[in-house]
Amino acid sequence: MKFKYLIIAFSVIIVIIICITVLVPIFIAGPEYAVNFRYITFPLLIFMVLILVGMSIFFFLNYRLLSLLEREDWPALAYYLEHKVYGNGRYSSRNVRILASSYLVISDYQSVLKLEGKTHIAKPSAVYDNVLIFGAAMILSGKYGEAATFYKINMDKCRKKDKQWVRWFFGFSQLLTGAFSAAEPEFSSLAVSSNEPLITGISAYFLHNSLGKKSSNPEKCRQIAENGKKRIISLVKNPGGWKKEAEKMGTDVHVAIIRKYVDETGKWLFEPI
C-alpha cells in the first residue's frame, strides 16, 4: 500500500535524523557535549519523537479510510463512513465531505440529500463547509429550484473561499429553471468582478450565449460578456492557460459537473475572430 510505505519511509527518516542528531555531535565534540545535551539537543529530540508518534497515530487511526480512498472503492468507503457518521454521530466536516463525494461518484444523489438533511440537524457548520457538494447533488438529481433556494440561503454562511462559486451556481440553477432575469445579474457581476478565472470565463460565456438571447437588454448583456472575455484572456493568455486553470480545479466535484461548459468556454474565448 502506498500510504503504508509512505509512513514507514517517513518513520525511518525520522529515526535516522534522531540518531544523527544524538550521535554525530558526541563523536565530534566529545564528552563535553553531554553537558549541553539537555539544553540544546534534548528538546529537538523530543520534538521529532512527538512528530513521529503523531504521524503514526494519525495513520493507524485512519488506516481503513486511507486504504479505501487509495483503492477508490467508493461503495465500501460510503458504507464505512455511514457507520462513522450515522452510527457514531461523527459529523465532522471531513467525514461529511468524503461521504457525500462517495455518494456522488456512484450517482446516489438521494443519499447525498439525506446526508444534507441529517447533517443540518446534527451539525449545521458541516453543511456550510460543503455547500458546493450538496448543491451539486441537487442539480444532478434535477432539483434545480431546490438547488437555487439552497445556494441562496447558504450564500452568506458558506466558507469565504467558496462564496463566488456559490453565487455562480445560484445563477446557474436559476438558468436551469428558466429564470433568466434572476441569473443574468449574478453572471454579469461575476464576469466583471470575480478573481477566479473559471468563474469569470464561464459567466461571460453564458452572458454571450444563453442569456444574451433572453435578456431584456441584449446589447448591454453582450457588452459585459465581451468585457469579461477580454479580462480573462489577459489573465490566462492562451488556450493552454485556460486548460491549466481547468485542470487545477478539475478534481473538485462542483467543477467536474460543469466540465462540459468549461471546455466550451475555452473554445469560445480563443475562437478565431
Side-chain angles (χ1 to χ4, degrees):
M1 263 194 73
K2 208 178 294 182
F3 287 112
K4 178 180 179 181
Y5 295 138
L6 181 63
I7 195 66
I8 291 174
F10 181 81
S11 301
V12 170
I13 291 171
I14 291 293
V15 170
I16 292 173
I17 293 174
I18 291 173
C19 292
I20 292 174
T21 303
V22 174
L23 298 177
V24 171
I26 293 178
F27 288 121
I28 295 175
E32 61 271 18
Y33 170 74
V35 178
N36 298 319
F37 176 80
R38 63 176 178 172
Y39 299 111
I40 301 174
T41 308
F42 188 68
L44 179 61
L45 182 63
I46 292 298
F47 176 71
M48 288 190 291
V49 169
L50 289 175
I51 291 178
L52 177 60
V53 171
M55 287 290 295
S56 299
I57 291 174
F58 173 81
F59 175 76
F60 287 113
L61 288 179
N62 294 277
Y63 177 82
R64 179 66 174 163
L65 175 64
L66 294 173
S67 63
L68 290 172
L69 278 170
E70 186 182 26
R71 297 201 321 253
E72 297 184 356
D73 190 344
W74 306 114
L77 180 59
Y79 179 80
Y80 168 74
L81 285 172
E82 283 173 345
H83 177 71
K84 293 188 72 172
V85 174
Y86 296 139
N88 299 330
R90 297 173 67 178
Y91 285 85
S92 70
S93 222
R94 185 191 68 163
N95 286 344
V96 170
R97 180 173 62 257
I98 299 175
L99 178 54
S101 298
S102 299
Y103 286 144
L104 284 176
V105 171
I106 59 178
S107 301
D108 188 356
Y109 308 132
Q110 290 306 311
S111 290
V112 183
L113 302 182
K114 172 188 171 184
L115 175 63
E116 186 274 326
K118 288 184 174 294
T119 304
H120 197 274
I121 295 172
K123 191 176 181 182
S125 62
V127 174
Y128 307 150
D129 288 343
N130 295 289
V131 169
L132 292 172
I133 293 178
F134 289 127
M138 294 177 188
I139 289 175
L140 290 170
S141 59
K143 301 179 184 293
Y144 307 136
E146 290 183 24
T149 301
F150 178 75
Y151 287 124
K152 185 176 182 179
I153 291 174
N154 292 289
M155 199 173 291
D156 294 322
K157 299 176 183 178
C158 67
R159 296 182 300 180
K160 185 177 180 180
K161 68 176 185 176
D162 293 339
K163 188 167 184 177
Q164 290 184 44
W165 274 113
V166 172
R167 285 184 59 198
W168 189 90
F169 273 100
F170 169 69
F172 183 58
S173 300
Q174 296 284 20
L175 181 65
L176 292 173
T177 63
F180 304 109
S181 60
E184 185 178 337
E186 292 298 331
F187 287 134
S188 295
S189 174
L190 291 169
V192 298
S193 66
S194 176
N195 56 5
E196 291 278 356
L198 290 187
I199 293 176
T200 300
I202 308 172
S203 297
Y205 170 76
F206 276 116
L207 287 169
H208 182 270
N209 291 282
S210 305
L211 294 171
K213 301 171 184 176
K214 303 289 183 178
S215 176
S216 59
N217 191 342
E219 185 177 340
K220 180 181 177 182
C221 185
R222 289 181 182 275
Q223 183 58 52
I224 294 174
E226 286 303 312
N227 290 339
K229 182 176 183 177
K230 291 176 183 176
R231 192 162 76 91
I232 196 61
I233 289 176
S234 69
L235 287 173
V236 301
K237 308 300 182 184
N238 52 52
W242 177 257
K243 184 178 180 181
K244 185 177 179 180
E245 290 293 334
E247 290 176 348
K248 188 162 53 176
M249 301 191 67
T251 56
D252 293 339
V253 172
H254 60 281
V255 175
I257 70 170
I258 58 167
R259 188 57 193 250
K260 169 189 173 183
Y261 302 113
V262 173
D263 294 339
E264 289 178 358
T265 299
K267 295 176 182 177
W268 171 70
L269 286 171
F270 300 100
E271 64 186 357
I273 299 176

